[in-house]
Amino acid sequence: MSELTTLARPYAKAAFDFAVEKGELAQWAEMLAFTAEIARDERVQHMLEASYSAEKLADIFITVGGDQLNDFGQNLIKVMAENKRLKALPEVCEQFLAMRLELEKEVEVQVISATALSEEQQQAISDKLATRLERKIKLNCSVDEALVAGVIIRAGDLVIDNSVSGRIRRLSDALQS
């Protein structure tokens, strides 16, 4: 587990608990996503590495954030700046979104196919995974012609490789053993 993951956990948990209490999960998800993008900016990364004061860094984030940040979001930025944790904002956002998905019993699934999937195919995949995982499914579909045919499905730790290239790779591995 990375240091940023450990540093981000209390902030993500506090923001999540507060958002649930206030019924503002969507608003907090947007605020955290926006501040995470600010933290990822190369110029901001240089400022975080430099010896700017916590107050100055918080002001930069709050100014850039503008109307995207409510008072509570601004307070989170100030606290994280005081504790020199603004670098962890992308990880805070990621952990917050994971907690939200768990609360909403939803899982994001990556579906990579050799050709574009029809609506019916997407619905069939979604229905089968919903039954198997006992969660609502959110599909993110993409095309990779290198698969030749078939699909690769990734849902958290679950990977289903039903592609021709995957089968060829497994066959090659078995023949070399």
Side-chain angles (χ1 to χ4, degrees), residues 3-20 25 28-29 31-32 35 54 72-100:
E3 181 182 353
L4 278 182
T5 301
T6 304
L7 294 174
R9 186 176 297 114
Y11 298 102
K13 179 82 171 109
F16 180 76
D17 290 346
F18 185 81
V20 168
L25 278 171
W28 271 89
M31 279 194 296
L32 289 172
T35 57
F72 300 111
Q74 291 178 15
N75 286 341
L76 176 67
I77 295 299
K78 289 174 185 174
V79 169
M80 289 183 73
E82 288 170 13
N83 293 316
K84 298 181 181 4
R85 301 290 193 252
L86 289 173
K87 244 189 265 187
L89 272 166
E91 182 65 25
V92 169
C93 180
E94 191 174 310
Q95 289 184 26
F96 179 94
L97 294 175
M99 287 182 233
R100 180 181 178 193

Side-chain angles (χ1 to χ4, degrees), residues 111-128:
V111 178
I112 305 164
S113 58
T115 59
L117 298 174
S118 69
E119 288 293 323
E120 294 82 24
Q121 290 170 319
Q122 289 181 31
Q123 190 60 50
I125 291 170
S126 182
D127 291 345
K128 287 180 182 171

Side-chain angles (χ1 to χ4, degrees), residues 110-170:
Q110 301 294 329
V111 178
I112 305 164
S113 58
T115 59
L117 298 174
S118 69
E119 288 293 323
E120 294 82 24
Q121 290 170 319
Q122 289 181 31
Q123 190 60 50
I125 291 170
S126 182
D127 291 345
K128 287 180 182 171
L129 286 172
T131 301
R132 180 174 180 175
L133 301 175
E134 298 178 348
R135 301 210 182 280
K136 289 187 272 180
I137 303 298
K138 180 180 176 191
L139 289 183
N140 293 322
C141 298
S142 61
V143 174
D144 182 356
E145 294 173 0
L147 296 180
V148 182
V151 297
I152 298 174
I153 299 171
R154 290 189 180 102
D157 293 339
L158 173 68
V159 177
I160 302 169
D161 186 347
N162 195 22
S163 65
V164 171
S165 62
R167 289 179 184 178
I168 291 171
R169 188 173 44 257
R170 287 190 297 277

